[in-house]
Amino acid sequence: MNDNIRPVSSYLSKSLYIRGRQCHKSLWLHKHSPELKDEVSESQDALFATGFAVGDLAQELFPGGVEVPYDGLSHDEQVERTRTLMAERTATIYEATFLHDAIFVKADILHHGPRGWELYEVKASTGVKDYHIYDAALQLHVLRGAGIEPVRVSIIHVNNSYVRSGELDLRQLFTIEDITVQVKELQPLVPQEIIAQRAMLVGDMPAIGIGPHCDDPYECDFSGHCWRNIPEDSVFDLRGRGADRFALYREGIVRQADIPLDMLNDAQRIQVESTLLERDSIDREGVKEFLDSINYPLCFLDFETFMEPIPSFDGIRPYQQVPFQFSLHIQHEPGGEVEHHGFLGEPGSDPRAELLKMLLRLIPGASCIIAWNQSFEIRVLDGLAEMFPAHRDRIEQMIANFCDLMVPFRNRTIYLWRTKGSYSIKEVLPAFVPELTYDGLEIADGGAAMDAWHIMNSANDSVELARVRTALWEYCKLDTLAMVRILEKMGTL
Ligand code: SF4
């Protein structure tokens, strides 16, 4: 053992065990060098908040339970509190806590059913994933070690085919999947993995290289550290199907400049050659064909949406993309004036009826609707047609007239070397129309727009509300103005 390594405790928890299952090096770094972790992003914070909200609501499936809090109690006190509640024959315990062999677990819901204790793990996902089963298997191992044999182990997850109608129906919103057989089958492997993790932790840092495991099942929070030596324009910037990036990396090919071109398909070859020569690649015939397929009037449309695991309004499924804003630039004839319209919902209310009314009023019949990644806008319109069937015919007519401005960039009809293989409008715009940029905007992507909507819904301060509204207007308007300018520029090629 390396003398420089600090002694580490053999303490494990559910999250540490799952971290170790993903990558031993990640667990080693967490214990020995936590200062190397990446900062927690706002989107990760939002994910944690979502998880807590779902967990709290799922408790209502078993009302009247008693919670064992984490804050304010030591681990031993939480274990003792759980033991007391069980001895008092408490029917349901939230966050029931167990410690065995220096492994600490908190079970989301422990319920005493007709046959004995039932263990429920709550997940905000819409199905059971492999790592949920490993997580529950560790809990079963610890509970057994503490002398409890649950009669049933289940995952409670969100049912994304539930459509809210009136009061939330928790029995429909959640699905309870019995995974008792799977977690029992995994039991022999759990102590083996615990022993392996503990043995690894007292040794040198494991020599594990980067790989697909770095973001499966979670994006590892040591990525910034482990990936720090990957240079710009590496094989990992290659986009699309074709050469396997990790296979190239394992062969020692890291820079795009070192890839033998015959290993690449046509699209990847265009990317690599353009990158190396710092030169755009433009298929003018392809551009002309695309432009010829467009008929005026043109409506450049972009939606901003929110989604929630627990639907706030009727007619919404969990995680459905619900529009709260649109921006629309309309151009009636080639080279003509471009007019702008938009809609932004009022916080606390269902924005869909007003939004659709305005959209139907503004979009002339038979216009060509231009979007960037049209499948998103079409999915949103499909959701509106489902909610407002009286307008289905008109909405379907709109959907039939979509044109996706992203396609010529995705299929490399136009390849801009500065985009590094990305065909996101956020990358294409500054590379193609440098005078327009998203830089400096308070809201610069759809995720931030969604967060802004949630902020608007909880803001009590009118100044704060006005600031967020302005930021949303600026961002969404730029998305459609960007499309106007990109199409104009394509006409000059
Ligand atoms: S970034 Fe990858 S290799 Fe590094 S610790 Fe995380 S999972 Fe392991």
Side-chain angles (χ1 to χ4, degrees):
M1 182 181 153
N2 184 331
D3 290 341
N4 294 326
I5 294 172
R6 296 192 298 271
V8 291
S9 80
S10 58
Y11 165 82
L12 290 172
S13 65
K14 273 197 300 186
S15 58
L16 293 178
Y17 175 80
I18 292 296
R19 177 188 284 275
R21 278 205 81 262
Q22 178 171 343
C23 175
H24 275 192
K25 183 177 172 184
S26 174
L27 179 58
W28 192 97
L29 286 167
H30 175 88
K31 289 267 193 178
H32 292 274
S33 303
E35 70 283 359
L36 297 177
K37 252 183 215 176
D38 302 332
E39 273 180 29
V40 178
S41 66
E42 281 181 13
S43 61
Q44 283 166 319
D45 268 342
L47 267 183
F48 293 142
T50 297
F52 291 137
V54 170
D56 286 349
L57 191 63
Q59 289 181 349
E60 292 179 25
L61 288 167
F62 300 89
V66 181
E67 179 157 348
V68 179
Y70 187 88
D71 292 334
L73 294 180
S74 69
H75 285 185
D76 285 341
E77 285 169 336
Q78 293 173 57
V79 172
E80 193 48 43
R81 179 80 57 93
T82 303
R83 206 176 283 145
T84 305
L85 289 168
M86 291 176 79
E88 289 169 347
R89 298 183 174 277
T90 306
T92 302
I93 305 170
Y94 310 133
E95 303 295 331
T97 311
F98 301 92
L99 188 59
H100 164 68
D101 187 23
I103 304 170
F104 177 83
V105 300
K106 283 182 85 68
D108 289 334
I109 299 169
L110 189 67
H111 175 70
H112 203 283
R115 294 189 300 117
W117 289 107
E118 299 164 359
L119 176 66
Y120 295 91
E121 177 69 11
V122 182
K123 300 293 178 192
S125 61
T126 57
V128 176
K129 309 267 173 33
D130 279 354
Y131 62 94
H132 297 159
I133 298 186
Y134 285 103
D135 176 333
L138 178 74
Q139 293 187 55
L140 179 61
H141 170 80
V142 171
L143 262 72
R144 280 180 168 178
I148 319 287
E149 180 63 45
V151 292
R152 189 174 166 205
V153 181
S154 303
I155 299 286
I156 300 176
H157 64 80
V158 173
N159 165 23
N160 63 349
S161 56
Y162 164 66
V163 181
R164 180 167 186 163
S165 174
E167 282 300 300
L168 276 178
D169 181 343
L170 297 186
R171 292 272 154 203
Q172 295 296 320
L173 171 64
F174 290 112
T175 299
I176 302 180
E177 280 198 45
D178 187 336
I179 56 163
T180 313
V181 173
Q182 294 99 305
V183 292
K184 282 189 173 170
E185 278 172 7
L186 282 177
Q187 286 311 291
L189 299 179
V190 177
Q192 287 174 23
E193 176 60 22
I194 292 168
I195 289 167
Q197 290 189 5
R198 285 180 168 153
M200 173 276 298
L201 283 171
V202 295
D204 291 340
M205 184 174 75
I208 296 174
I210 57 171
H213 58 275
C214 293
D215 57 10
D216 181 21
Y218 299 109
E219 196 180 322
C220 178
D221 46 12
F222 289 104
S223 295
H225 172 69
C226 293
W227 288 69
R228 67 192 182 287
N229 293 325
I230 300 298
E232 242 193 280
D233 298 328
S234 76
V235 294
F236 298 108
D237 292 321
L238 279 179
R239 292 291 188 274
R241 290 170 207 268
D244 179 328
R245 296 139 188 85
F246 283 110
L248 290 169
Y249 178 72
R250 281 191 291 271
E251 282 181 40
I253 301 172
V254 183
R255 291 171 198 281
Q256 289 180 24
D258 299 330
I259 309 174
L261 289 181
D262 59 2
M263 293 181 84
L264 301 173
N265 64 22
D266 288 348
Q268 289 184 331
R269 189 183 292 211
I270 288 174
Q271 180 185 347
V272 170
E273 287 180 337
S274 296
T275 301
L276 298 183
L277 297 170
E278 298 192 346
R279 197 177 65 197
D280 298 338
S281 160
I282 293 165
D283 165 10
R284 288 188 167 73
E285 269 306 300
V287 173
K288 182 174 179 312
E289 220 172 276
F290 178 83
L291 294 175
D292 288 348
S293 70
I294 291 172
N295 296 307
Y296 285 75
L298 302 182
C299 290
F300 300 82
L301 177 65
D302 180 65
F303 288 120
E304 298 307 326
T305 60
F306 67 86
M307 61 176 183
E308 313 166 300
I310 305 162
S312 298
F313 306 112
D314 283 357
I316 296 176
R317 285 186 297 278
Y319 295 112
Q320 182 177 338
Q321 302 272 7
V322 181
F324 63 87
Q325 181 179 21
F326 71 75
S327 173
L328 178 68
H329 277 88
I330 303 179
Q331 190 173 36
H332 292 275
E333 61 209 11
E337 284 293 304
V338 182
E339 54 191 73
H340 180 252
H341 305 273
F343 171 89
L344 177 55
E346 289 301 323
S349 64
D350 184 346
R352 290 172 298 169
E354 279 301 304
L355 177 144
L356 180 61
K357 199 167 130 195
M358 194 165 170
L359 201 59
L360 295 177
R361 182 168 59 75
L362 288 168
I363 292 192
S367 33
C368 177
I369 301 179
I370 303 212
W372 195 275
N373 189 15
Q374 65 179 31
S375 60
F376 176 77
E377 266 66 31
I378 289 176
R379 201 161 52 244
V380 170
L381 285 169
D382 272 335
L384 291 171
E386 210 176 291
M387 182 69 192
F388 304 102
H391 298 293
R392 176 174 288 282
D393 287 352
R394 180 73 203 291
I395 292 173
E396 283 181 354
Q397 183 200 21
M398 286 162 68
I399 290 174
N401 289 334
F402 258 82
C403 171
D404 196 338
L405 188 57
M406 184 178 79
V407 168
F409 294 88
R410 187 183 60 200
N411 68 15
R412 308 278 200 253
T413 300
I414 301 174
Y415 182 76
L416 307 166
W417 70 272
R418 286 189 178 83
T419 59
K420 296 187 181 297
S422 166
Y423 41 84
S424 153
I425 196 167
K426 311 294 182 287
E427 300 297 331
V428 168
L429 181 68
F432 201 45
V433 186
E435 59 275 19
L436 266 189
T437 171
Y438 287 84
D439 287 355
L441 287 188
E442 186 179 334
I443 294 169
D445 60 46
M450 193 183 302
D451 292 344
W453 170 255
H454 292 303
I455 291 169
M456 271 175 62
N457 277 284
S458 54
N460 297 318
D461 174 354
S462 59
V463 177
E464 164 78 351
L465 197 60
R467 187 185 60 77
V468 177
R469 285 188 78 88
T470 303
L472 275 167
W473 275 114
E474 283 177 358
Y475 166 65
C476 194
K477 184 178 177 183
L478 182 56
D479 264 348
T480 48
L481 182 63
M483 289 192 277
V484 172
R485 298 287 175 251
I486 287 170
L487 189 69
E488 268 174 18
K489 182 80 182 269
M490 285 171 72
T492 67
L493 295 176

